[in-house]
Amino acid sequence: MKKTVSLIIITFLLGGCVTLSQNYRRGTEAAMAKKWDEAVVYFQKAVLDNPKSSVYRLALLRAQVSASRYHWIQGKRLAEQGKKEEARVELEKALMYDPTNQLLLKELQELTGQAVSETKKEEVKAIELPIKLQVKPEKIDLKFRQKASLKSIFEALGKHAGINILFDEQFKDIPFSIDLEGMTFEQALQSLCLATRNFYRPVDERTVIIVPDLPQKRMQYEIQAIKTFYLSNIKAEEIQASLNQMLRTSFKAPTVIIDKNLNTVTVRDTPEVVERAEKIIKLWDKPKGEVIIDLEIMEVSRMKLRQLGIDFDQFRGAIRYNQEKATEGWLNLADLSFKQKENFQLVLPTAFLQMLESDADTKIISQPRLRGVEGEKLEYVVGDQIPIPRTTWAPIAAGGISTQPITSFEYKNVGIDVKITPYIHYEDEVTLELEIQIKSLGGTGYANIPIITTREVRNVIRLKNGETNLLAGLLKDEERKTLKGIAGLKNLPLLGRLFSNEDQTIQQTDVILTITPYIIRKTPIGEKEKKPIWVGIKDTGSTLAVSEIPSRRMRESDLRMGERDVVSQLGKEVNRLYFNTTRLRMSQGRNFRIMVNIQAKDEIANMSFDVNYNSQILELKQVNMGGFVRQMGPRPSFLQNINNNAGSCTIGFTSSEAGRGKKGGGTVAVLVFQAKAPGEATLSFSGISAMGPRGGVLVFETRECQVVVR
């Protein structure tokens, strides 16, 4: 008796140990109701009562993270509404629950004004040239109302500022008039170069050279810089092609080199282009957003089974003949007699009365919490792997007929498989690409091979931050009813129940899914990132932007008159290389032709140049010789080198008659392009090199062509 009492007490104590405390139950109820502050309080009490329980500690940690996220979201919403004090209180509560969250701490510091904005730290500084002009600080007070020599105007500027002015050998001295009153030396020099299509380059602190604004001269005189950019959030190979297109100018393409190991981009070009590249890279190299996704997956299965009636193990009777002296199935013909009843055996069907009814419920509940980066797939798999046999037959020996079975096993996942790809929008919303599979065992089939049932959901939804989406109604309702019995008798009214058996199976399965995304980090985009990057404002000078020119000090009529004089003078002497059109529209997939034309005032003995284009939009299929080249002798030399990867083509030709060239107009080459993808591409020239019959260098003006592919 004492032993029995002792066992009862031990059993009661063990049962009390595994029973969950009342605080834990209340905390669970509060968590289900999204009352995270109450849940944290109850879970803390449960942990204090039983500090060694891992169940209580994990529940407390989960509740603290959820409470921190809840107050964080509330603080963001209040801050957007301008309620800074209420937002500060919410963020402090969130930080109390999750003190190691650096992002939350930074946001709280920014709200209270204790943090330094990173935008100010990451200002793109202008590249300082190695040579700085040492000029007098006095402003210039020069007016050239009457047409004066352009060379003398430059020299007068240099004398006023104490700077030596040099001129390139191809500098054209033309009559010009301009008002340079109230400008600094660099502003006046920039204005004069802009109006006369020249540019300048400092030689030393006291010397400047004036050069015609031509592609060849740009390549010869422009100062170049090399700078390496270390990327943190994007891969270098992903931006190389785009950076090439963004930095390409009418003169040449930049040099962009990547290093996959260090994830760096190195740009070599003029200081203005390198600064522009740095601004573009900073706009692209942004951290991706992050989200936390709460899932609640529940599968409810119910199966009812009812078997009622009389079940016959055999639905037939049998009679057979059997002799007493028969051995091993052989009958003696001498003793064969059908008159004796003892030689016959009769088998009747056996009947069982069945009264079975069962009702089973199954619940599969999963509550995963996933954290991931925007645009990257999140995958959550939980379950088992079930072996499925696969049998193949192979011959025992080569050329033999007999075969032997070879059984292998293929493992199938059974459980919950969740794949989610999030995309964060700037409207504080999240788009989720869902792919959810729930697989379970549905019984066995032929040869006891497991049957796997599948519930699959594929959808794309867009939710607000913290919004919950409920997906239900994936109901499978299956009912089977089977009636077995003796033919003829089972259909009799009332009495048919005595000779039949009825099996009824009802199976219902429902899948319920709730999904809630929370944005914890967005791609940082400030007001500075929304401002445009101006292109071309520094292409006509070395150190001064066009926006800095005090145009109000310059009379527009004088500037326009000076430009007309330059055009009239250059138009008589400068050769031209241009396309037959300046703008062309083309459908995707079509082939089209563009002619490269020339207008030569001087005789040309040989010439080479590059045609640049966007290789992502256009593909150069063929280059044919033009009529201008065919007229340069019986067998003129014509070369072509197509490089669609770099988006360039080198074309060159040479006269077949030594000491003679050709001048005039005509077609140099015919380019056959294919429109690959929609977009806008620019055709331009670069690397022009031309010589006359006596070895003189020839200068060419160029013109671009815009191709729009629809």
Side-chain angles (χ1 to χ4, degrees):
M1 182 66 182
K2 292 182 179 180
K3 292 183 179 181
T4 305
V5 173
S6 300
L7 289 174
I8 294 174
I9 295 174
I10 293 174
T11 304
F12 176 78
L13 292 176
L14 291 176
C17 292
V18 298
T19 302
L20 299 176
S21 68
Q22 188 68 19
N23 289 321
Y24 178 80
R25 296 179 184 274
R26 292 177 179 177
T28 304
E29 293 176 357
M32 295 295 291
K34 306 295 183 181
K35 299 178 181 179
W36 300 114
D37 293 333
E38 296 182 11
V40 170
V41 173
Y42 286 123
F43 287 142
Q44 286 176 344
K45 293 180 180 180
V47 171
L48 290 176
D49 295 339
N50 190 0
K52 296 183 179 180
S53 175
S54 60
V55 176
Y56 297 165
R57 294 200 304 270
L58 290 176
L60 175 60
L61 178 60
R62 183 183 179 92
Q64 287 176 338
V65 173
S66 300
S68 176
R69 186 176 65 248
Y70 171 76
H71 289 291
W72 191 1
I73 294 174
Q74 294 297 323
K76 285 183 176 181
R77 293 176 178 174
L78 292 172
E80 292 175 355
Q81 297 173 5
K83 302 177 181 179
K84 292 187 177 181
E85 186 62 27
E86 293 86 343
R88 182 187 61 82
V89 174
E90 292 293 332
L91 293 180
E92 287 178 351
K93 288 183 180 180
L95 192 61
M96 178 185 65
Y97 289 123
D98 189 5
T100 61
N101 194 330
Q102 296 297 322
L103 293 175
L104 179 57
L105 176 61
K106 178 183 174 183
E107 189 168 340
L108 179 59
Q109 290 176 347
E110 290 179 354
L111 182 65
T112 56
Q114 300 177 4
V116 180
S117 178
E118 293 184 358
T119 306
K120 297 181 180 179
K121 295 181 180 180
E122 299 182 357
E123 289 285 346
V124 178
K125 297 181 179 180
I127 299 177
E128 296 184 359
L129 296 178
I131 301 174
K132 293 184 178 180
L133 294 176
Q134 300 295 332
V135 298
K136 296 178 181 180
E138 294 84 3
K139 292 188 177 182
I140 296 174
D141 188 9
L142 297 176
K143 297 180 181 180
F144 299 92
R145 299 292 178 86
Q146 301 296 327
K147 289 189 177 181
S149 171
L150 180 60
K151 188 173 183 179
S152 63
I153 297 175
F154 279 112
E155 290 175 345
L157 284 177
K159 186 177 181 180
H160 185 278
I163 299 295
N164 298 321
I165 303 295
L166 304 179
F167 298 93
D168 183 76
E169 59 182 3
Q170 294 186 8
F171 175 79
K172 303 298 181 181
D173 189 11
I174 59 174
F176 198 76
S177 62
I178 193 171
D179 186 355
L180 302 176
E181 184 180 2
M183 298 184 184
T184 63
F185 171 74
E186 292 187 356
Q187 289 175 342
L189 189 61
Q190 178 76 19
S191 302
L192 193 54
C193 287
L194 175 64
T196 59
R197 296 187 181 180
N198 293 292
F199 72 97
Y200 70 93
R201 174 190 167 179
V203 178
D204 54 36
E205 296 179 351
R206 294 289 181 180
T207 308
V208 169
I209 185 171
I210 308 300
V211 187
D213 193 0
L214 299 172
Q216 301 94 323
K217 294 301 178 180
R218 285 281 185 179
M219 297 177 63
Q220 180 180 354
Y221 283 99
E222 275 189 334
I223 299 175
Q224 292 195 347
I226 299 176
K227 190 170 183 179
T228 299
F229 305 97
Y230 294 87
L231 307 179
S232 299
N233 305 289
I234 55 177
K235 295 182 180 180
E237 58 269 20
E238 294 178 356
I239 67 171
Q240 182 182 16
S242 301
L243 196 61
N244 262 314
Q245 297 298 326
M246 295 291 290
L247 301 178
R248 184 186 296 272
T249 63
S250 59
F251 299 112
K252 62 184 183 305
T255 302
V256 180
I257 300 175
I258 66 171
D259 188 338
K260 294 183 179 180
N261 296 326
L262 297 177
N263 197 30
T264 60
V265 176
T266 302
V267 181
R268 174 181 176 178
D269 211 290
T270 61
E272 293 80 9
V273 175
V274 174
E275 290 177 17
R276 193 185 310 148
E278 184 174 3
K279 293 178 181 178
I280 294 174
I281 290 175
K282 285 189 177 296
L283 290 178
W284 290 347
D285 191 22
K286 296 288 186 181
K288 293 183 178 180
E290 288 188 77
V291 297
I292 287 180
I293 301 175
D294 281 349
L295 292 174
E296 292 184 1
I297 305 171
M298 181 172 64
E299 182 181 14
V300 181
S301 299
R302 185 179 185 183
M303 183 175 180
K304 287 185 176 182
L305 176 64
R306 187 177 67 175
Q307 294 178 342
L308 182 62
I310 298 177
D311 185 15
F312 296 88
D313 63 340
Q314 294 180 352
F315 291 94
R316 60 184 183 273
I319 186 172
R320 69 175 183 176
Y321 180 83
N322 186 18
Q323 291 182 359
E324 295 181 356
K325 299 180 180 179
T327 58
E328 297 180 358
W330 293 90
L331 299 177
N332 190 356
L333 295 178
D335 299 332
L336 183 63
S337 175
F338 295 100
K339 297 180 179 181
Q340 298 179 2
K341 296 181 180 179
E342 58 270 16
N343 291 339
F344 295 90
Q345 294 180 346
L346 179 64
V347 179
L348 297 176
T350 304
F352 298 93
L353 179 61
Q354 297 194 55
M355 295 179 293
L356 175 63
E357 186 171 359
S358 63
D359 192 347
D361 290 338
T362 304
K363 293 183 180 179
I364 301 176
I365 301 176
S366 178
Q367 293 179 324
R369 173 173 294 166
L370 309 178
R371 175 172 178 172
V373 180
E374 176 187 7
E376 302 294 335
K377 181 179 291 186
L378 307 177
E379 189 167 358
Y380 170 78
V381 180
V382 59
D384 301 321
Q385 286 189 332
I386 304 300
I388 306 296
R390 295 286 185 268
T391 302
T392 58
W393 298 85
I396 297 177
I401 299 177
S402 300
T403 58
Q404 60 179 346
I406 299 177
T407 302
S408 60
F409 292 90
E410 179 183 0
Y411 288 88
K412 296 288 188 180
N413 291 324
V414 175
I416 300 174
D417 185 1
V418 180
K419 297 178 182 178
I420 303 176
T421 304
Y423 297 95
I424 300 176
H425 303 280
Y426 298 117
E427 296 83 2
D428 209 23
E429 296 181 352
V430 183
T431 292
L432 302 176
E433 294 182 359
L434 302 176
E435 184 177 348
I436 301 174
Q437 290 184 346
I438 303 176
K439 298 182 179 180
S440 59
L441 290 177
T444 57
Y446 176 76
N448 291 327
I449 296 178
I451 298 175
I452 300 176
T453 60
T454 304
R455 302 288 182 275
E456 185 172 352
V457 178
R458 292 187 181 183
N459 196 10
V460 178
I461 58 177
R462 180 164 176 166
L463 302 174
K464 294 181 180 180
N465 185 22
E467 181 183 359
T468 301
N469 180 73
L470 174 64
L471 179 63
L474 300 177
L475 179 64
K476 177 184 177 182
D477 194 347
E478 184 177 353
E479 182 176 354
R480 296 180 182 179
K481 186 175 181 180
T482 304
L483 180 62
K484 297 184 293 184
I486 299 177
L489 298 179
K490 66 181 182 66
N491 296 325
L492 294 176
L494 300 178
L495 297 178
R497 281 291 194 180
L498 301 176
F499 304 97
S500 64
N501 176 40
E502 180 181 340
D503 293 345
Q504 185 177 9
T505 303
I506 300 175
Q507 186 174 1
Q508 294 178 344
T509 305
D510 192 10
V511 178
I512 301 174
L513 167 68
T514 63
I515 180 169
T516 307
Y518 298 96
I519 301 174
I520 62 174
R521 178 190 298 176
K522 291 183 180 180
T523 300
I525 298 178
E527 293 298 328
K528 186 175 181 180
E529 283 78 5
K530 298 178 181 179
K531 295 181 180 180
I533 298 176
W534 300 106
V535 180
I537 61 174
K538 293 187 178 182
D539 289 346
T540 56
S542 298
T543 59
L544 185 65
V546 174
S547 58
E548 298 173 358
I549 299 175
S551 56
R552 60 183 178 85
R553 296 288 186 178
M554 186 188 307
R555 293 193 303 175
E556 296 182 0
S557 59
D558 294 339
L559 181 58
R560 289 195 296 268
M561 180 177 62
E563 290 180 352
R564 287 197 298 268
D565 294 339
V566 174
V567 173
S568 62
Q569 292 292 332
L570 296 180
K572 297 178 181 180
E573 300 180 4
V574 176
N575 306 295
R576 290 185 176 85
L577 185 68
Y578 57 96
F579 299 101
N580 64 318
T581 181
T582 58
R583 190 170 182 84
L584 181 65
R585 293 183 179 271
M586 188 58 55
S587 301
Q588 183 179 357
R590 294 284 301 276
N591 292 343
F592 61 95
R593 296 185 179 186
I594 290 182
M595 292 180 287
V596 179
N597 296 335
I598 193 172
Q599 184 65 39
K601 300 297 183 181
D602 303 319
E603 289 190 0
I604 302 175
N606 59 75
M607 184 178 185
S608 65
F609 57 89
D610 294 334
V611 177
N612 305 311
Y613 54 93
N614 190 338
S615 59
Q616 296 181 352
I617 298 176
L618 302 179
E619 181 179 357
L620 184 56
K621 293 291 188 179
Q622 189 177 358
V623 178
N624 300 323
M625 183 190 303
F628 183 85
V629 181
R630 293 193 183 95
Q631 298 174 8
M632 298 185 66
R635 292 183 179 178
S637 175
F638 183 79
L639 64 91
Q640 54 171 318
N641 184 18
I642 301 175
N643 188 354
N644 279 315
N645 294 327
S648 65
C649 174
T650 302
I651 300 175
F653 59 89
T654 305
S655 175
S656 61
E657 299 179 1
R660 295 188 60 182
K662 177 177 173 53
K663 64 180 181 178
T667 301
V668 175
V670 179
L671 311 179
V672 181
F673 285 97
Q674 182 184 20
K676 292 172 54 179
E680 185 172 348
T682 302
L683 301 182
S684 61
F685 297 102
S686 64
I688 301 176
S689 176
M691 299 181 65
R694 298 182 181 180
V697 179
L698 304 180
V699 180
F700 279 81
E701 284 186 346
T702 61
R703 186 176 65 185
E704 297 179 349
C705 174
Q706 300 292 330
V707 179
V708 179
V709 179
R710 297 170 294 179

